[in-house]
Amino acid sequence: MAKVETKEKKITSKPIKEIPPESAINKKSTKSKKTTQSLEKPFLETIAGIGPTTRKRLEEAGYGSKEAIALATRSQLTEISGIAEKTAALLIREARARFDLGLKKGTDYEVAAKTRVKLTTGSEAFNELLGGGLETGSVTEIAGENGCGKTQIAHQLAVNCVKYFDQDVIWIDSEGTFRFNRIVQMAQALEIDPEVVLSRITVGRAYNSEHQMALTEEALTMVPNVGLIVVDSLMSHFRSEFAGRGTLAERQQLIGRHLSFISKQTEILNCVGLVTNQVSARPDGIFFGDPNRPVGGNVVGHTVTTRLMIRKGKDIKRTATLTKSPELPDGKIEFSITTEGVRDYKK
Ligand code: GTP
Ligand code: MG
């Protein structure tokens, strides 16, 4: 019970005029840590035998930091041109020696959980379903049919991230549906300067799956103070590029890599990860429950921490169903999408 109370203090979904104090404190402590880190010499520069060319290649592939290398596998590094087995082993050994790999006590989890905060959705009912909002440190998937409101929710979370976390947003747009005017409308509704919000969102328009993965990695090295990473949508390019059955294994492998990279980064940066996903009719037919399921199979299902399914109702009405969470019961609520953004549904 005490846990619920702590979370509720951090939630502020009603018209709020200021940053919730606890979120602000937590987020500020992340910031100061980053400032200290940036004074250190970059990891790759401290490794004898790694010249500028190799360093550039590693950085371009998203392995510029000791954290990224410590959590990489040897085969991921040897895939990069010019990185031999011996070099990969050396890099991983050095990175792991300087990075706490993570054997922890149960009490450490308690401490880590306290640094996680919730990003409000804009609807109290929706927040309640999520134990307060979307949690930092993991990836939430929002799935549903065309037009159900996935992209709208992402716009709302981007505005909320700037307003309540005072942090930046990375938005990987694979469908060309980021709309600055929706950000303006939602920001105005929360009485925050739209220009400030827009200036804090870095949008990468992804034209294919390779581009999507590269943009995500680049944005994460470029944007210093990330509170939210949006990938809208996760699967559209992968689905159209890897259409045949024969390409399924390769597709799943790439999605797994892409998604686990995002997941790792949300943990390291203690930010919210949000991926939207399409749905397809279940091939096995179904007599009860939802006839649709998110695409991407087990790889996506296992890698995301929290799964939500959105359904469109009449006019502004929507329903959200929580189908996967490591600590919350499944449930279903009603909310609405209005010109102001995501709000409670009022009959
Ligand atoms: P796909 O990307 O095609 O899978 O759909 P999606 O789930 O991302 O849908 P999206 O978030 O783009 O939602 C589009 C719907 O949001 C519209 O059909 C409207 O119902 C609603 N919507 C968008 N803008 C507004 C607005 O300004 N006011 C209101 N009331 N509703 C809006
Ligand atoms: Mg969309």
Side-chain angles (χ1 to χ4, degrees):
M1 283 315 281
K3 197 169 165 199
V4 174
E5 276 164 29
T6 329
K7 280 176 184 166
E8 279 174 359
K9 271 193 238 153
K10 290 169 193 157
I11 313 158
T12 1
S13 58
K14 283 268 177 185
I16 319 154
K17 302 272 184 267
E18 56 187 10
I19 296 161
E22 283 186 47
S23 305
I25 291 160
N26 283 329
K27 289 293 172 179
K28 282 207 178 105
S29 62
T30 318
K31 264 194 228 169
S32 57
K33 196 168 141 216
K34 275 179 194 156
T35 321
T36 334
Q37 278 172 354
S38 65
L39 296 174
E40 283 173 22
K41 203 169 180 191
F43 171 69
L44 291 174
E45 284 181 29
T46 65
I47 307 292
I50 301 290
T53 315
T54 313
R55 199 161 69 220
K56 191 156 176 269
R57 284 184 185 151
L58 283 159
E59 282 166 357
E60 281 172 358
Y63 297 103
S65 67
K66 64 174 182 292
E67 290 83 0
I69 293 174
L71 299 173
T73 60
R74 244 188 243 194
S75 61
Q76 281 172 331
L77 297 188
T78 51
E79 267 175 31
I80 304 164
S81 110
I83 307 288
E85 191 75 28
K86 228 169 111 188
T87 317
L90 167 80
L91 282 168
I92 292 174
R93 200 171 52 241
E94 285 294 324
R96 288 185 181 171
R98 295 186 222 173
F99 176 68
D100 174 14
L101 270 183
L103 286 175
K104 292 187 174 81
K105 298 278 185 202
T107 42
D108 295 330
Y109 278 82
E110 202 181 354
V111 173
K114 284 187 185 139
T115 68
R116 284 189 222 121
V117 285
K118 305 269 187 172
L119 182 58
T120 176
T121 58
S123 149
E124 270 187 45
F126 207 154
N127 287 346
E128 225 166 275
L129 179 73
L130 293 170
L134 274 76
E135 192 169 57
T136 58
S138 66
V139 178
T140 298
E141 174 201 63
I142 294 188
E145 286 180 347
N146 296 344
C148 71
K150 303 180 291 293
T151 303
Q152 299 300 314
I153 298 170
H155 280 82
Q156 182 69 68
L157 288 164
V159 175
N160 292 354
C161 173
V162 176
K163 170 140 182 152
Y164 302 118
F165 280 3
D166 191 18
Q167 283 192 294
D168 298 339
V169 178
I170 292 174
W171 184 298
I172 306 299
D173 181 5
S174 67
E175 297 180 337
T177 48
F178 174 79
R179 288 290 176 274
F180 84 92
N181 58 323
R182 290 297 285 140
I183 296 290
V184 170
Q185 287 169 332
M186 293 179 191
Q188 280 168 344
L190 290 181
E191 297 174 21
I192 172 169
D193 184 349
E195 289 304 316
V196 170
V197 180
L198 287 168
S199 72
R200 299 193 68 174
I201 305 175
T202 300
V203 184
R205 172 74 171 100
Y207 291 102
N208 57 49
S209 61
E210 274 295 329
H211 192 201
Q212 180 173 325
M213 292 186 285
L215 274 175
T216 310
E217 287 169 18
E218 188 178 319
L220 277 160
T221 53
M222 217 184 86
V223 180
N225 184 22
V226 188
L228 170 70
I229 309 169
V230 174
V231 180
D232 182 33
S233 76
L234 177 71
M235 292 290 301
S236 54
H237 286 313
F238 290 97
R239 275 183 102 193
S240 59
E241 289 163 32
F242 298 86
R245 279 236 140 240
T247 59
L248 197 64
E250 191 191 348
R251 181 188 94 167
Q252 292 306 92
Q253 201 185 354
L254 285 173
I255 291 163
R257 212 172 75 190
H258 182 40
L259 203 49
S260 43
F261 174 77
I262 296 167
S263 172
K264 241 187 259 173
Q265 293 295 318
T266 58
E267 255 185 72
I268 293 169
L269 302 171
N270 194 26
C271 67
V272 172
L274 170 68
V275 298
T276 68
N277 202 359
Q278 302 160 326
V279 292
S280 67
R282 303 173 79 107
D284 44 356
I286 178 165
F287 299 106
F288 61 90
D290 200 309
N292 291 322
R293 67 173 170 204
V295 300
N298 288 341
V299 170
V300 177
H302 289 311
T303 314
V304 300
T305 302
T306 307
R307 300 197 103 167
L308 286 160
M309 180 74 92
I310 308 297
R311 253 171 246 108
K312 193 171 174 163
K314 203 166 171 282
D315 302 326
I316 60 169
K317 185 176 165 184
R318 302 287 189 278
T319 61
T321 310
L322 180 66
T323 59
K324 180 190 173 189
S325 162
E327 59 176 4
L328 296 163
D330 289 357
K332 186 174 171 180
I333 55 96
E334 292 178 347
F335 70 101
S336 65
I337 291 175
T338 70
T339 305
E340 288 76 34
V342 174
R343 295 291 183 274
D344 277 333
Y345 179 67
K346 302 219 164 54
K347 282 169 202 150

